[in-house]
Amino acid sequence: MSQTTNTILMIRPVNFRMNEETAVNNYFQEELHLKNTEINAKAQEEFDAFVEKLRAVGVTVIVEEDIKSQDTPDSIFPNNWISFHENGDVGLFPMFAENRRRERREDVLIRLENEGFRIENIIDYTSAEEEGVFLEGTGSLLLDRVNSKAYCALSARADEELFIEFCEDFEYTPVVFTANQTVNGNRLPIYHTNVMMCLAEKFSVICLDSIDDKKERKNVIKHLKTDGKSIIDITEAQMHQFAGNMLQVKGYNDQRYLVMSKAAHDSLTQKQIDDIEKFCPILSSSLETIETCGGGSARCMMAEVFLPKV
């Protein structure tokens, strides 16, 4: 089992804008007073520059164009609807926003097979949408693939029972908690686990302050420490700059990189940067439009491909 991959699936946006259906519980989204066509053009520029940076260090990036007629403003975040596993399993996940359900595309799986990957089983949780139950892929659950643990901050988009079911199906030990952020003076659940926490091979970047319950916080720390991971703690303000939304990937010669946005990188202290760079270099790219309107960042844009080759 490996924690990192050198192959990433990314979806190039054609209808990117602020998704009104997700804004109800994604408090990272903000209005940009531009025409939707301008927002999409800026997002495409950011996307293309990001892909170029990943490819320049040797990351294999499989890019699929979004389908215009589908009108899927958040298609740029594919890790929410699909997950790929080393045994050839694929997870398909139930999505909170109705217009995000159209992001699930069979042709994406066909593309991966054409790229030489083997798909054995598809484990489909999408019928949970009919019950109003959601679990948004590796946005909602963070997988420690080596230690077979899954971390999940419960929210409207991460149902506990369905998370436990996923863990049983994929043989992960569940680590459940609630992570909150302050919104207009109230503590409200953070919509996705992967904005407050990143799991790399030997370390975790995490906003411990967001876990209000002391027992739950201790439990998360205990699991990370037991598995030998260094903890790099970030503040809630840094989390709002997407400093939790990072992903470790492999480039040329298996060199690891921690990938993040420019905003996330700029928010880090020199000590935090040094702590990360003890393990691997940082790769960052400007994702300002995508972050502002989409309320997601670098990690959300990358669906890691762990499937075996044919």
Side-chain angles (χ1 to χ4, degrees), residues 251-256:
Y252 292 124
N253 303 319
D254 280 350
Q255 171 66 59
R256 272 64 167 167

Side-chain angles (χ1 to χ4, degrees), residues 6-208:
N6 63 352
T7 307
I8 300 293
L9 168 74
M10 294 177 71
I11 308 288
R12 190 172 188 269
V14 294
N15 268 321
F16 182 79
R17 62 175 189 276
M18 175 149 167
N19 187 350
E20 56 292 337
E21 290 187 23
T22 55
V24 295
N25 57 19
N26 178 344
Y27 309 111
F28 290 78
Q29 283 176 256
E30 289 173 44
E31 286 276 7
L32 263 189
H33 299 290
L34 296 169
K35 290 192 185 118
N36 284 343
T37 50
E38 292 174 74
I39 289 170
N40 186 65
K42 278 178 179 281
Q44 285 179 331
E45 274 174 40
E46 291 171 1
F47 179 93
D48 293 342
F50 185 27
V51 169
E52 210 171 294
K53 282 189 176 182
L54 288 165
R55 285 177 173 162
V57 298
V59 180
T60 302
V61 186
I62 298 167
V63 176
E64 270 289 307
E65 283 281 326
D66 187 17
I67 298 166
K68 201 165 178 63
S69 59
Q70 293 281 56
D71 190 26
T72 42
D74 279 336
S75 62
I76 200 168
F77 304 132
N79 81 309
N80 299 150
W81 65 267
I82 196 161
S83 67
F84 304 104
H85 303 267
E86 278 185 43
N87 62 355
D89 285 351
V90 171
L92 290 182
F93 295 93
M95 309 286 280
F96 170 80
E98 281 184 35
N99 65 6
R100 293 210 62 188
R101 298 169 195 175
R102 298 195 292 272
E103 293 173 29
R104 296 189 293 255
R105 289 164 46 188
E106 200 179 334
D107 62 316
V108 169
L109 297 177
I110 294 164
R111 168 77 191 273
L112 287 168
E113 288 184 318
N114 291 340
E115 295 279 345
F117 291 101
R118 194 172 83 239
I119 294 170
E120 293 287 348
N121 298 301
I122 294 175
I123 293 109
D124 187 343
Y125 300 100
T126 58
S127 62
E129 286 165 354
E130 293 158 29
E131 272 84 64
V133 167
F134 313 106
L135 186 68
E136 296 193 333
T138 54
S140 296
L141 38 99
L142 255 64
L143 302 180
D144 183 339
R145 293 170 187 262
V146 175
N147 298 296
S148 302
K149 284 181 187 174
Y151 293 78
C152 182
L154 302 178
S155 73
R157 305 198 201 181
D159 177 78
E160 185 166 9
E161 276 181 39
L162 193 55
F163 170 58
I164 301 295
E165 188 183 326
F166 168 89
C167 288
E168 285 169 359
D169 292 344
F170 284 86
E171 298 182 351
Y172 281 89
T173 300
V175 183
V176 182
F177 56 97
T178 305
N180 295 313
Q181 66 191 112
T182 301
V183 182
N184 302 325
N186 299 313
R187 295 295 276 169
L188 298 174
I190 294 167
Y191 78 106
H192 277 164
T193 314
N194 78 0
V195 290
M196 54 72 64
M197 182 177 182
C198 150
L199 269 181
E201 284 173 335
K202 295 177 178 169
F203 64 97
S204 174
V205 178
I206 182 168
C207 179
L208 291 170

